Amino acid sequence: MMDHAAGNHADALALAADMHLMLSPSGAEQDQIWSIVGGAFLERDPRQVATVSARVARRRRQERLKETAEDLVSMADGAIDWKRGISGVSYANTRTRGAKFMRLDPGQSAPAHGHGALEATVVLQGRFSDGHGVYSRGDIVLGEPGKRHKPAAVGDETCICFVAETSHPLWNLFR
């Protein structure tokens, strides 16, 4: 959350953090704490006087984004054009590079796997388990590169998540 407060995230990860802040009271509280900590560091270091504040950096990022956290949350509550992947899990693209929706029907899980880059998953509906914990609406789960997990819907409600990944340098050659 410190990187988010400073405005240092890539667009997809910034949207995931914005959703977490919007849907989770504890997320909003963490953001406020990190903003205060960052402000205190700026006040203590006179070399940082010319540095743009975190709020200004965040506003500039939001102006650059093609879609907002509010747009995406309302999309998740409505009709989405889902495509079933090879694993049987359904996905839907967003207009932001590295960001997509994932839908797991009750009792459904994806195969265990890992990632080569940072992945942030925000639960928008239902409950989600990754083998390391169970998460509810507004929770954000960070998957470090190399960390293995097995996404699964928990309970009798469909689980919809927003998934953001940092860019994979090798795959960028083919975009």
mmCIF file of all heavy atoms in Angstrom, residues 102-145:
data_model
loop_
_atom_site.group_PDB
_atom_site.id
_atom_site.type_symbol
_atom_site.label_atom_id
_atom_site.label_comp_id
_atom_site.label_asym_id
_atom_site.label_seq_id
_atom_site.Cartn_x
_atom_site.Cartn_y
_atom_site.Cartn_z
ATOM 1 N N MET A 102 -11.991 -12.580 -13.285
ATOM 2 C CA MET A 102 -12.006 -14.042 -13.212
ATOM 3 C C MET A 102 -13.288 -14.450 -12.495
ATOM 4 O O MET A 102 -13.650 -13.844 -11.482
ATOM 5 C CB MET A 102 -10.792 -14.549 -12.423
ATOM 6 C CG MET A 102 -10.805 -16.049 -12.171
ATOM 7 S SD MET A 102 -9.365 -16.619 -11.220
ATOM 8 C CE MET A 102 -9.707 -15.918 -9.605
ATOM 9 N N ARG A 103 -13.970 -15.461 -13.039
ATOM 10 C CA ARG A 103 -15.183 -15.967 -12.401
ATOM 11 C C ARG A 103 -15.009 -17.445 -12.087
ATOM 12 O O ARG A 103 -14.633 -18.241 -12.941
ATOM 13 C CB ARG A 103 -16.392 -15.789 -13.321
ATOM 14 C CG ARG A 103 -17.694 -16.219 -12.617
ATOM 15 C CD ARG A 103 -18.889 -16.148 -13.531
ATOM 16 N NE ARG A 103 -18.862 -17.334 -14.380
ATOM 17 C CZ ARG A 103 -19.421 -17.402 -15.580
ATOM 18 N NH1 ARG A 103 -20.030 -16.376 -16.099
ATOM 19 N NH2 ARG A 103 -19.355 -18.516 -16.271
ATOM 20 N N LEU A 104 -15.297 -17.782 -10.845
ATOM 21 C CA LEU A 104 -15.281 -19.170 -10.400
ATOM 22 C C LEU A 104 -16.684 -19.495 -9.907
ATOM 23 O O LEU A 104 -17.200 -18.827 -9.008
ATOM 24 C CB LEU A 104 -14.277 -19.365 -9.263
ATOM 25 C CG LEU A 104 -12.808 -19.143 -9.613
ATOM 26 C CD1 LEU A 104 -11.984 -18.947 -8.345
ATOM 27 C CD2 LEU A 104 -12.281 -20.297 -10.430
ATOM 28 N N ASP A 105 -17.313 -20.484 -10.500
ATOM 29 C CA ASP A 105 -18.636 -20.909 -10.050
ATOM 30 C C ASP A 105 -18.504 -21.643 -8.719
ATOM 31 O O ASP A 105 -17.411 -22.095 -8.355
ATOM 32 C CB ASP A 105 -19.283 -21.800 -11.121
ATOM 33 C CG ASP A 105 -19.597 -21.021 -12.386
ATOM 34 O OD1 ASP A 105 -19.953 -19.821 -12.275
ATOM 35 O OD2 ASP A 105 -19.483 -21.595 -13.486
ATOM 36 N N PRO A 106 -19.593 -21.757 -7.958
ATOM 37 C CA PRO A 106 -19.511 -22.436 -6.654
ATOM 38 C C PRO A 106 -18.821 -23.794 -6.756
ATOM 39 O O PRO A 106 -19.142 -24.600 -7.637
ATOM 40 C CB PRO A 106 -20.980 -22.588 -6.245
ATOM 41 C CG PRO A 106 -21.673 -21.457 -6.935
ATOM 42 C CD PRO A 106 -20.962 -21.312 -8.253
ATOM 43 N N GLY A 107 -17.838 -24.015 -5.897
ATOM 44 C CA GLY A 107 -17.103 -25.278 -5.873
ATOM 45 C C GLY A 107 -16.026 -25.407 -6.932
ATOM 46 O O GLY A 107 -15.253 -26.362 -6.927
ATOM 47 N N GLN A 108 -15.926 -24.462 -7.841
ATOM 48 C CA GLN A 108 -14.950 -24.547 -8.932
ATOM 49 C C GLN A 108 -13.586 -24.041 -8.471
ATOM 50 O O GLN A 108 -13.480 -23.140 -7.645
ATOM 51 C CB GLN A 108 -15.419 -23.704 -10.122
ATOM 52 C CG GLN A 108 -14.526 -23.813 -11.334
ATOM 53 C CD GLN A 108 -15.047 -22.978 -12.505
ATOM 54 O OE1 GLN A 108 -15.816 -22.046 -12.335
ATOM 55 N NE2 GLN A 108 -14.616 -23.342 -13.697
ATOM 56 N N SER A 109 -12.544 -24.648 -9.031
ATOM 57 C CA SER A 109 -11.184 -24.178 -8.745
ATOM 58 C C SER A 109 -10.362 -24.220 -10.025
ATOM 59 O O SER A 109 -10.704 -24.910 -10.979
ATOM 60 C CB SER A 109 -10.519 -25.035 -7.663
ATOM 61 O OG SER A 109 -10.339 -26.352 -8.116
ATOM 62 N N ALA A 110 -9.302 -23.473 -10.017
ATOM 63 C CA ALA A 110 -8.344 -23.483 -11.117
ATOM 64 C C ALA A 110 -7.211 -24.422 -10.726
ATOM 65 O O ALA A 110 -7.009 -24.702 -9.541
ATOM 66 C CB ALA A 110 -7.801 -22.080 -11.348
ATOM 67 N N PRO A 111 -6.454 -24.912 -11.694
ATOM 68 C CA PRO A 111 -5.303 -25.752 -11.353
ATOM 69 C C PRO A 111 -4.275 -24.968 -10.528
ATOM 70 O O PRO A 111 -4.168 -23.744 -10.663
ATOM 71 C CB PRO A 111 -4.714 -26.118 -12.720
ATOM 72 C CG PRO A 111 -5.794 -25.853 -13.710
ATOM 73 C CD PRO A 111 -6.640 -24.767 -13.137
ATOM 74 N N ALA A 112 -3.543 -25.659 -9.694
ATOM 75 C CA ALA A 112 -2.457 -25.026 -8.935
ATOM 76 C C ALA A 112 -1.425 -24.506 -9.929
ATOM 77 O O ALA A 112 -1.106 -25.168 -10.916
ATOM 78 C CB ALA A 112 -1.825 -26.022 -7.974
ATOM 79 N N HIS A 113 -0.948 -23.300 -9.677
ATOM 80 C CA HIS A 113 0.025 -22.696 -10.584
ATOM 81 C C HIS A 113 0.766 -21.569 -9.866
ATOM 82 O O HIS A 113 0.409 -21.169 -8.768
ATOM 83 C CB HIS A 113 -0.671 -22.143 -11.837
ATOM 84 C CG HIS A 113 -1.650 -21.044 -11.553
ATOM 85 N ND1 HIS A 113 -2.924 -21.284 -11.089
ATOM 86 C CD2 HIS A 113 -1.518 -19.705 -11.630
ATOM 87 C CE1 HIS A 113 -3.547 -20.133 -10.912
ATOM 88 N NE2 HIS A 113 -2.721 -19.154 -11.229
ATOM 89 N N GLY A 114 1.781 -21.050 -10.512
ATOM 90 C CA GLY A 114 2.539 -19.908 -10.019
ATOM 91 C C GLY A 114 2.639 -18.869 -11.113
ATOM 92 O O GLY A 114 2.172 -19.086 -12.237
ATOM 93 N N HIS A 115 3.245 -17.755 -10.807
ATOM 94 C CA HIS A 115 3.385 -16.668 -11.770
ATOM 95 C C HIS A 115 4.826 -16.179 -11.769
ATOM 96 O O HIS A 115 5.531 -16.282 -10.775
ATOM 97 C CB HIS A 115 2.452 -15.508 -11.406
ATOM 98 C CG HIS A 115 1.004 -15.883 -11.472
ATOM 99 N ND1 HIS A 115 0.278 -15.819 -12.633
ATOM 100 C CD2 HIS A 115 0.161 -16.343 -10.528
ATOM 101 C CE1 HIS A 115 -0.959 -16.217 -12.391
ATOM 102 N NE2 HIS A 115 -1.055 -16.547 -11.113
ATOM 103 N N GLY A 116 5.213 -15.597 -12.891
ATOM 104 C CA GLY A 116 6.554 -15.047 -13.005
ATOM 105 C C GLY A 116 6.629 -13.583 -12.635
ATOM 106 O O GLY A 116 7.692 -12.977 -12.689
ATOM 107 N N ALA A 117 5.482 -12.994 -12.293
ATOM 108 C CA ALA A 117 5.442 -11.577 -11.953
ATOM 109 C C ALA A 117 4.453 -11.389 -10.795
ATOM 110 O O ALA A 117 3.718 -12.299 -10.439
ATOM 111 C CB ALA A 117 5.014 -10.763 -13.167
ATOM 112 N N LEU A 118 4.416 -10.194 -10.247
ATOM 113 C CA LEU A 118 3.495 -9.875 -9.166
ATOM 114 C C LEU A 118 2.059 -9.908 -9.678
ATOM 115 O O LEU A 118 1.765 -9.392 -10.750
ATOM 116 C CB LEU A 118 3.808 -8.489 -8.600
ATOM 117 C CG LEU A 118 2.929 -8.011 -7.453
ATOM 118 C CD1 LEU A 118 3.113 -8.899 -6.225
ATOM 119 C CD2 LEU A 118 3.249 -6.564 -7.116
ATOM 120 N N GLU A 119 1.174 -10.537 -8.894
ATOM 121 C CA GLU A 119 -0.244 -10.605 -9.223
ATOM 122 C C GLU A 119 -1.044 -10.114 -8.020
ATOM 123 O O GLU A 119 -0.770 -10.495 -6.894
ATOM 124 C CB GLU A 119 -0.643 -12.041 -9.545
ATOM 125 C CG GLU A 119 -2.126 -12.199 -9.843
ATOM 126 C CD GLU A 119 -2.544 -13.653 -9.966
ATOM 127 O OE1 GLU A 119 -2.505 -14.365 -8.938
ATOM 128 O OE2 GLU A 119 -2.890 -14.060 -11.071
ATOM 129 N N ALA A 120 -2.024 -9.245 -8.276
ATOM 130 C CA ALA A 120 -2.924 -8.762 -7.225
ATOM 131 C C ALA A 120 -4.332 -9.189 -7.593
ATOM 132 O O ALA A 120 -4.797 -8.945 -8.701
ATOM 133 C CB ALA A 120 -2.843 -7.249 -7.101
ATOM 134 N N THR A 121 -5.017 -9.856 -6.667
ATOM 135 C CA THR A 121 -6.392 -10.309 -6.879
ATOM 136 C C THR A 121 -7.280 -9.629 -5.848
ATOM 137 O O THR A 121 -6.998 -9.683 -4.654
ATOM 138 C CB THR A 121 -6.488 -11.847 -6.721
ATOM 139 O OG1 THR A 121 -5.588 -12.460 -7.635
ATOM 140 C CG2 THR A 121 -7.899 -12.339 -6.969
ATOM 141 N N VAL A 122 -8.351 -8.984 -6.324
ATOM 142 C CA VAL A 122 -9.314 -8.327 -5.445
ATOM 143 C C VAL A 122 -10.647 -9.054 -5.588
ATOM 144 O O VAL A 122 -11.146 -9.228 -6.701
ATOM 145 C CB VAL A 122 -9.503 -6.840 -5.808
ATOM 146 C CG1 VAL A 122 -10.503 -6.178 -4.855
ATOM 147 C CG2 VAL A 122 -8.183 -6.107 -5.780
ATOM 148 N N VAL A 123 -11.210 -9.478 -4.470
ATOM 149 C CA VAL A 123 -12.502 -10.171 -4.488
ATOM 150 C C VAL A 123 -13.604 -9.125 -4.611
ATOM 151 O O VAL A 123 -13.695 -8.202 -3.800
ATOM 152 C CB VAL A 123 -12.703 -11.016 -3.207
ATOM 153 C CG1 VAL A 123 -14.038 -11.736 -3.248
ATOM 154 C CG2 VAL A 123 -11.559 -11.999 -3.021
ATOM 155 N N LEU A 124 -14.438 -9.289 -5.644
ATOM 156 C CA LEU A 124 -15.549 -8.363 -5.875
ATOM 157 C C LEU A 124 -16.886 -8.955 -5.461
ATOM 158 O O LEU A 124 -17.813 -8.229 -5.115
ATOM 159 C CB LEU A 124 -15.606 -7.969 -7.355
ATOM 160 C CG LEU A 124 -14.334 -7.333 -7.915
ATOM 161 C CD1 LEU A 124 -14.499 -7.047 -9.394
ATOM 162 C CD2 LEU A 124 -13.970 -6.084 -7.141
ATOM 163 N N GLN A 125 -16.972 -10.276 -5.516
ATOM 164 C CA GLN A 125 -18.220 -10.965 -5.158
ATOM 165 C C GLN A 125 -17.875 -12.356 -4.663
ATOM 166 O O GLN A 125 -16.961 -12.996 -5.177
ATOM 167 C CB GLN A 125 -19.113 -11.070 -6.398
ATOM 168 C CG GLN A 125 -20.388 -11.860 -6.188
ATOM 169 C CD GLN A 125 -21.146 -12.028 -7.502
ATOM 170 O OE1 GLN A 125 -21.352 -11.088 -8.237
ATOM 171 N NE2 GLN A 125 -21.540 -13.262 -7.781
ATOM 172 N N GLY A 126 -18.606 -12.844 -3.673
ATOM 173 C CA GLY A 126 -18.383 -14.187 -3.152
ATOM 174 C C GLY A 126 -17.148 -14.255 -2.279
ATOM 175 O O GLY A 126 -16.658 -13.248 -1.771
ATOM 176 N N ARG A 127 -16.639 -15.489 -2.140
ATOM 177 C CA ARG A 127 -15.429 -15.709 -1.348
ATOM 178 C C ARG A 127 -14.459 -16.525 -2.179
ATOM 179 O O ARG A 127 -14.847 -17.329 -3.016
ATOM 180 C CB ARG A 127 -15.758 -16.409 -0.034
ATOM 181 C CG ARG A 127 -16.584 -15.502 0.869
ATOM 182 C CD ARG A 127 -16.805 -16.001 2.281
ATOM 183 N NE ARG A 127 -17.086 -17.418 2.355
ATOM 184 C CZ ARG A 127 -16.636 -18.217 3.312
ATOM 185 N NH1 ARG A 127 -15.891 -17.763 4.275
ATOM 186 N NH2 ARG A 127 -16.951 -19.485 3.316
ATOM 187 N N PHE A 128 -13.180 -16.342 -1.889
ATOM 188 C CA PHE A 128 -12.093 -16.876 -2.696
ATOM 189 C C PHE A 128 -11.044 -17.481 -1.782
ATOM 190 O O PHE A 128 -10.714 -16.916 -0.743
ATOM 191 C CB PHE A 128 -11.519 -15.691 -3.492
ATOM 192 C CG PHE A 128 -10.224 -15.937 -4.201
ATOM 193 C CD1 PHE A 128 -10.205 -16.593 -5.412
ATOM 194 C CD2 PHE A 128 -9.039 -15.471 -3.678
ATOM 195 C CE1 PHE A 128 -9.011 -16.785 -6.086
ATOM 196 C CE2 PHE A 128 -7.836 -15.657 -4.338
ATOM 197 C CZ PHE A 128 -7.828 -16.318 -5.555
ATOM 198 N N SER A 129 -10.540 -18.635 -2.166
ATOM 199 C CA SER A 129 -9.437 -19.267 -1.446
ATOM 200 C C SER A 129 -8.305 -19.484 -2.430
ATOM 201 O O SER A 129 -8.544 -19.770 -3.604
ATOM 202 C CB SER A 129 -9.878 -20.607 -0.865
ATOM 203 O OG SER A 129 -8.750 -21.322 -0.381
ATOM 204 N N ASP A 130 -7.076 -19.363 -1.949
ATOM 205 C CA ASP A 130 -5.927 -19.619 -2.826
ATOM 206 C C ASP A 130 -5.000 -20.689 -2.251
ATOM 207 O O ASP A 130 -3.896 -20.872 -2.721
ATOM 208 C CB ASP A 130 -5.158 -18.333 -3.091
ATOM 209 C CG ASP A 130 -4.496 -17.762 -1.843
ATOM 210 O OD1 ASP A 130 -4.733 -18.275 -0.736
ATOM 211 O OD2 ASP A 130 -3.741 -16.782 -1.987
ATOM 212 N N GLY A 131 -5.446 -21.375 -1.207
ATOM 213 C CA GLY A 131 -4.598 -22.359 -0.538
ATOM 214 C C GLY A 131 -3.791 -21.754 0.594
ATOM 215 O O GLY A 131 -3.144 -22.475 1.356
ATOM 216 N N HIS A 132 -3.814 -20.426 0.711
ATOM 217 C CA HIS A 132 -3.087 -19.741 1.783
ATOM 218 C C HIS A 132 -4.039 -19.016 2.730
ATOM 219 O O HIS A 132 -3.627 -18.566 3.788
ATOM 220 C CB HIS A 132 -2.092 -18.735 1.198
ATOM 221 C CG HIS A 132 -1.097 -19.361 0.284
ATOM 222 N ND1 HIS A 132 -0.010 -20.075 0.727
ATOM 223 C CD2 HIS A 132 -1.042 -19.409 -1.078
ATOM 224 C CE1 HIS A 132 0.679 -20.521 -0.312
ATOM 225 N NE2 HIS A 132 0.073 -20.133 -1.417
ATOM 226 N N GLY A 133 -5.299 -18.854 2.312
ATOM 227 C CA GLY A 133 -6.283 -18.144 3.127
ATOM 228 C C GLY A 133 -7.605 -18.060 2.385
ATOM 229 O O GLY A 133 -7.708 -18.455 1.221
ATOM 230 N N VAL A 134 -8.623 -17.543 3.072
ATOM 231 C CA VAL A 134 -9.943 -17.331 2.476
ATOM 232 C C VAL A 134 -10.214 -15.839 2.520
ATOM 233 O O VAL A 134 -10.007 -15.186 3.549
ATOM 234 C CB VAL A 134 -11.043 -18.109 3.230
ATOM 235 C CG1 VAL A 134 -12.409 -17.818 2.649
ATOM 236 C CG2 VAL A 134 -10.754 -19.615 3.175
ATOM 237 N N TYR A 135 -10.686 -15.291 1.408
ATOM 238 C CA TYR A 135 -10.828 -13.851 1.255
ATOM 239 C C TYR A 135 -12.249 -13.515 0.817
ATOM 240 O O TYR A 135 -12.876 -14.266 0.081
ATOM 241 C CB TYR A 135 -9.817 -13.332 0.228
ATOM 242 C CG TYR A 135 -8.430 -13.886 0.495
ATOM 243 C CD1 TYR A 135 -7.977 -15.015 -0.179
ATOM 244 C CD2 TYR A 135 -7.617 -13.311 1.458
ATOM 245 C CE1 TYR A 135 -6.716 -15.546 0.088
ATOM 246 C CE2 TYR A 135 -6.358 -13.835 1.731
ATOM 247 C CZ TYR A 135 -5.914 -14.958 1.037
ATOM 248 O OH TYR A 135 -4.682 -15.480 1.313
ATOM 249 N N SER A 136 -12.732 -12.339 1.258
ATOM 250 C CA SER A 136 -14.085 -11.881 0.971
ATOM 251 C C SER A 136 -14.048 -10.561 0.206
ATOM 252 O O SER A 136 -12.979 -9.980 0.004
ATOM 253 C CB SER A 136 -14.855 -11.680 2.273
ATOM 254 O OG SER A 136 -14.920 -12.887 2.991
ATOM 255 N N ARG A 137 -15.233 -10.065 -0.138
ATOM 256 C CA ARG A 137 -15.357 -8.832 -0.913
ATOM 257 C C ARG A 137 -14.461 -7.723 -0.345
ATOM 258 O O ARG A 137 -14.477 -7.441 0.852
ATOM 259 C CB ARG A 137 -16.805 -8.365 -0.917
ATOM 260 C CG ARG A 137 -17.044 -7.095 -1.733
ATOM 261 C CD ARG A 137 -18.523 -6.788 -1.831
ATOM 262 N NE ARG A 137 -18.795 -5.478 -2.358
ATOM 263 C CZ ARG A 137 -18.937 -5.196 -3.652
ATOM 264 N NH1 ARG A 137 -18.846 -6.147 -4.553
ATOM 265 N NH2 ARG A 137 -19.198 -3.954 -4.037
ATOM 266 N N GLY A 138 -13.669 -7.138 -1.233
ATOM 267 C CA GLY A 138 -12.783 -6.038 -0.871
ATOM 268 C C GLY A 138 -11.386 -6.459 -0.488
ATOM 269 O O GLY A 138 -10.469 -5.641 -0.496
ATOM 270 N N ASP A 139 -11.192 -7.737 -0.164
ATOM 271 C CA ASP A 139 -9.855 -8.212 0.200
ATOM 272 C C ASP A 139 -8.952 -8.233 -1.024
ATOM 273 O O ASP A 139 -9.393 -8.542 -2.140
ATOM 274 C CB ASP A 139 -9.915 -9.615 0.803
ATOM 275 C CG ASP A 139 -10.551 -9.644 2.181
ATOM 276 O OD1 ASP A 139 -10.661 -8.580 2.824
ATOM 277 O OD2 ASP A 139 -10.948 -10.743 2.619
ATOM 278 N N ILE A 140 -7.688 -7.915 -0.810
ATOM 279 C CA ILE A 140 -6.691 -7.985 -1.878
ATOM 280 C C ILE A 140 -5.671 -9.055 -1.493
ATOM 281 O O ILE A 140 -5.261 -9.147 -0.332
ATOM 282 C CB ILE A 140 -6.012 -6.622 -2.122
ATOM 283 C CG1 ILE A 140 -5.137 -6.657 -3.385
ATOM 284 C CG2 ILE A 140 -5.245 -6.153 -0.913
ATOM 285 C CD1 ILE A 140 -4.693 -5.288 -3.858
ATOM 286 N N VAL A 141 -5.310 -9.872 -2.460
ATOM 287 C CA VAL A 141 -4.355 -10.957 -2.251
ATOM 288 C C VAL A 141 -3.184 -10.712 -3.192
ATOM 289 O O VAL A 141 -3.385 -10.587 -4.410
ATOM 290 C CB VAL A 141 -4.983 -12.335 -2.572
ATOM 291 C CG1 VAL A 141 -4.001 -13.450 -2.268
ATOM 292 C CG2 VAL A 141 -6.283 -12.520 -1.827
ATOM 293 N N LEU A 142 -1.969 -10.626 -2.647
ATOM 294 C CA LEU A 142 -0.791 -10.418 -3.478
ATOM 295 C C LEU A 142 -0.066 -11.732 -3.679
ATOM 296 O O LEU A 142 0.261 -12.412 -2.705
ATOM 297 C CB LEU A 142 0.147 -9.390 -2.842
ATOM 298 C CG LEU A 142 -0.424 -7.984 -2.698
ATOM 299 C CD1 LEU A 142 0.582 -7.074 -2.007
ATOM 300 C CD2 LEU A 142 -0.815 -7.420 -4.045
ATOM 301 N N GLY A 143 0.155 -12.066 -4.925
ATOM 302 C CA GLY A 143 0.913 -13.265 -5.270
ATOM 303 C C GLY A 143 2.293 -12.857 -5.757
ATOM 304 O O GLY A 143 2.429 -12.228 -6.808
ATOM 305 N N GLU A 144 3.286 -13.162 -4.961
ATOM 306 C CA GLU A 144 4.671 -12.844 -5.326
ATOM 307 C C GLU A 144 5.130 -13.757 -6.456
ATOM 308 O O GLU A 144 4.658 -14.891 -6.580
ATOM 309 C CB GLU A 144 5.576 -13.055 -4.107
ATOM 310 C CG GLU A 144 5.226 -12.208 -2.910
ATOM 311 C CD GLU A 144 5.719 -10.787 -3.045
ATOM 312 O OE1 GLU A 144 6.752 -10.574 -3.710
ATOM 313 O OE2 GLU A 144 5.055 -9.894 -2.494
ATOM 314 N N PRO A 145 6.068 -13.304 -7.278
ATOM 315 C CA PRO A 145 6.608 -14.183 -8.320
ATOM 316 C C PRO A 145 7.124 -15.482 -7.709
ATOM 317 O O PRO A 145 7.798 -15.477 -6.690
ATOM 318 C CB PRO A 145 7.754 -13.366 -8.911
ATOM 319 C CG PRO A 145 7.392 -11.945 -8.623
ATOM 320 C CD PRO A 145 6.675 -11.981 -7.302
#
